[in-house]
Amino acid sequence: MNFPYFISKRITSEANSSFSSIISKLAIISISVGLAAMILAFFILGGFQQTIKQKIYNFKGHLEITKYNMGNALDEKSISFGSDFYVQKDEFEFIDHVQAFAYKPGLIKTQDEVEGVVYKGVDDQFDTTRFAVNMQSGRFIHHKADGYSDEVILSKHIANKLSMELGDKFMIHFVQNPPRFRRLQLVGIYETGLEEFDKSVIIGDLGMIQRLNEWNKDQVGGFEVFVKDKSKIDDAENILFNAIDADLYVDKVSDKYNQIFDWLGLLNQNVTVFLGLILIVACFNMISILLILILERTYMIGVLQALGASKRQVKRIFLFKGMLLVTKGLVYGNLIALIIALIQDQFQLVPLDAANYYMYYVPISWDYESLIGLNVLTFLVVSLALGIPMTVVSRIKPIAAIRFN
């Protein structure tokens, strides 16, 4: 039988009726609360980053292919459906979906308000399933087989500002020479929570822009590309850049909104600092608690050494004791974190202000890699810290320890 492990189990069972029982429970609580906080921090951060990124990707795709334009960014040059990229798009295995778009600036005029907007035209290939998470009320526009639809969807921000409701009709004046206007009908309201979209973009039929720009049916402003694996967007960009026509360029949506993506990246640093602080506190608590346990068992240490136990064996007794406390803390910490995360994920009990956080409740991302990594990291770091109080054991002399009692 493993002698240090046997003694460690005996003092653990006897501790239920001693002062060390309270100390042991404090150690377990310290580890469990710290680990639960770290796990929840990673789950919430991952959910927050994933939600923001998904909102942008659902609205703009992962990559955009447009024609080089040295003038006004909204005065687009057209791309043909007959371009080599669109014809050969099925040959790129990493592409999940491609949809056409075009933009045109305009002014919405009501009886009381005038609002500048950007009209985004889409065709019947637009992925309404991805966009459905942004719809607040109403429906998406219906495209016509002949001509173009006069239906549009507005953001909740624009609709509220113009005091418009579903079914209302209004005039939009397009900025071009000569200026033109169209009468549109509001059939749906969306909300992403992102000011970059909600404050200006309305969505309607691509056919209207084709008519206003005097384009043919095969001419569009550009293509939004969705990739199957988001972790390989950079590779997809490089492949498409080398494959498309010389007068076209491909741009990552994350680069177009780099301020948002950089801000999301900075949040990782905050969580890393938070992780370090919790680990330091957990290590300090375990060192203190183990020192108390060692001092409480000073007489036992002296007796064991007098009976022939080596200092290494005595050290291992308290090392097993400390690792047992860490293991229990990890188990309870995981249970606490997973239960809280599951409740929040299912019932959204903790709300958020969408105006500041771009979402209505605290999101949860089930990042099992981080879960396992945090458990391993916590166990290793705290276990290594247990070596510090072990130096006290090596300095205890049997005669002095026995007299200590």
Side-chain angles (χ1 to χ4, degrees):
M1 179 179 291
N2 189 321
F3 168 69
Y5 179 70
F6 173 75
I7 298 298
S8 177
K9 287 187 64 178
R10 288 296 301 269
I11 64 176
T12 299
S13 60
E14 293 177 0
N16 292 329
S17 58
S18 67
F19 171 72
S20 60
S21 172
I22 300 175
I23 300 300
S24 298
K25 291 178 180 178
L26 288 176
I28 294 173
I29 293 173
S30 172
I31 297 295
S32 60
V33 172
L35 179 64
M38 289 188 292
I39 292 174
L40 289 173
F42 273 82
F43 279 9
I44 293 172
L45 174 66
F48 186 77
Q49 292 176 325
Q50 181 177 323
T51 301
I52 298 296
K53 291 179 180 179
Q54 199 60 41
K55 284 176 178 287
I56 296 175
Y57 289 145
N58 287 342
F59 204 95
K60 297 283 290 185
H62 299 114
L63 301 167
E64 280 188 354
I65 296 178
T66 54
K67 182 167 287 190
Y68 280 108
N69 187 2
M70 302 300 293
N72 186 353
L74 294 175
D75 186 18
E76 295 173 318
K77 295 183 179 179
S78 65
I79 303 176
S80 173
F81 278 119
S83 63
D84 292 341
F85 159 73
Y86 193 81
V87 173
Q88 301 171 4
K89 67 181 188 300
D90 294 335
E91 298 180 7
F92 299 101
E93 296 181 356
F94 58 83
I95 291 181
D96 183 41
H97 180 66
V98 177
Q99 58 193 30
F101 71 91
Y103 288 104
K104 199 167 188 65
L107 294 171
I108 294 179
K109 184 178 180 181
T110 63
Q111 293 181 352
D112 302 320
E113 297 284 347
V114 175
E115 181 73 10
V117 297
V118 177
Y119 183 100
K120 179 180 181 180
V122 298
D123 62 6
D124 55 3
Q125 295 301 310
F126 185 82
D127 193 340
T128 56
T129 302
R130 279 191 174 95
F131 192 79
V133 295
N134 299 318
M135 293 296 296
Q136 295 293 305
S137 59
R139 58 172 175 82
F140 201 76
I141 64 174
H142 291 160
H143 292 88
K144 295 181 178 180
D146 297 325
Y148 58 84
S149 173
D150 62 353
E151 297 178 343
V152 293
I153 62 174
L154 305 182
S155 69
K156 185 177 180 180
H157 172 84
I158 297 176
N160 289 340
K161 189 172 183 179
L162 299 177
S163 301
M164 297 181 64
E165 298 179 352
L166 295 177
D168 288 351
K169 295 184 178 182
F170 58 92
M171 300 296 296
I172 181 170
H173 297 258
F174 290 101
V175 180
Q176 63 181 86
N177 191 17
R180 297 184 181 180
F181 62 90
R182 292 291 186 274
R183 188 173 179 83
L184 306 177
Q185 182 179 12
L186 176 61
V187 297
I189 295 176
Y190 78 88
E191 183 177 33
T192 65
L194 300 173
E195 292 183 355
E196 287 77 3
F197 306 136
D198 291 353
K199 280 192 172 182
S200 59
V201 180
I202 70 174
I203 301 177
D205 193 345
L206 175 61
M208 181 177 294
I209 296 181
Q210 290 174 330
R211 178 72 64 85
L212 292 169
N213 290 348
E214 298 180 353
W215 289 350
N216 297 324
K217 283 293 185 181
D218 65 342
Q219 290 179 288
V220 296
F223 299 108
E224 294 174 343
V225 180
F226 294 86
V227 300
K228 296 177 181 178
D229 188 351
K230 288 182 288 188
S231 64
K232 297 181 179 179
I233 293 178
D234 291 336
D235 296 334
E237 180 191 21
N238 293 330
I239 294 174
L240 290 178
F241 180 80
N242 295 321
I244 60 178
D245 299 336
D247 61 338
L248 304 179
Y249 77 100
V250 57
D251 194 14
K252 289 190 299 183
V253 171
S254 58
D255 289 341
K256 298 188 69 172
Y257 300 94
N258 58 346
Q259 291 182 339
I260 296 178
F261 282 83
D262 290 344
W263 169 63
L264 293 175
L266 289 174
L267 295 178
N268 292 326
Q269 298 181 6
N270 297 336
V271 174
T272 301
V273 173
F274 178 67
L275 170 62
L277 291 175
I278 289 184
L279 286 177
I280 291 173
V281 173
C283 291
F284 180 80
N285 288 340
M286 282 303 303
I287 291 172
S288 303
I289 290 168
L290 206 58
L291 283 173
I292 294 174
L293 294 177
I294 291 172
L295 292 175
E296 188 186 29
R297 296 286 176 172
T298 301
Y299 177 75
M300 184 195 75
I301 294 173
V303 172
L304 290 175
Q305 289 180 337
L307 293 174
S310 65
K311 291 184 177 180
R312 181 177 180 180
Q313 287 178 317
V314 176
K315 287 181 180 180
R316 291 178 64 189
I317 291 173
F318 291 96
L319 184 61
F320 282 136
K321 172 70 174 177
M323 294 179 68
L324 179 61
L325 295 177
V326 173
T327 302
K328 287 184 177 180
L330 293 179
V331 172
Y332 291 133
N334 280 278
L335 288 175
I336 293 172
L338 292 176
I339 290 174
I340 293 176
L342 181 62
I343 293 174
Q344 176 62 22
D345 190 36
Q346 294 295 321
F347 302 104
Q348 291 90 43
L349 298 180
V350 181
L352 290 176
D353 182 6
N356 295 320
Y357 297 98
Y358 311 115
M359 57 198 73
Y360 291 99
Y361 58 86
V362 174
I364 298 294
S365 173
W366 296 96
D367 186 356
Y368 296 107
E369 291 184 2
S370 295
L371 176 67
I372 296 173
L374 287 172
N375 278 272
V376 173
L377 179 63
T378 303
F379 183 81
L380 291 178
V381 172
V382 178
S383 297
L384 289 174
L386 296 179
I388 296 176
M390 294 300 103
T391 58
V392 176
V393 177
S394 62
R395 297 179 180 179
I396 296 177
K397 295 181 179 180
I399 297 177
I402 295 174
R403 287 177 178 175
F404 180 76
N405 192 50

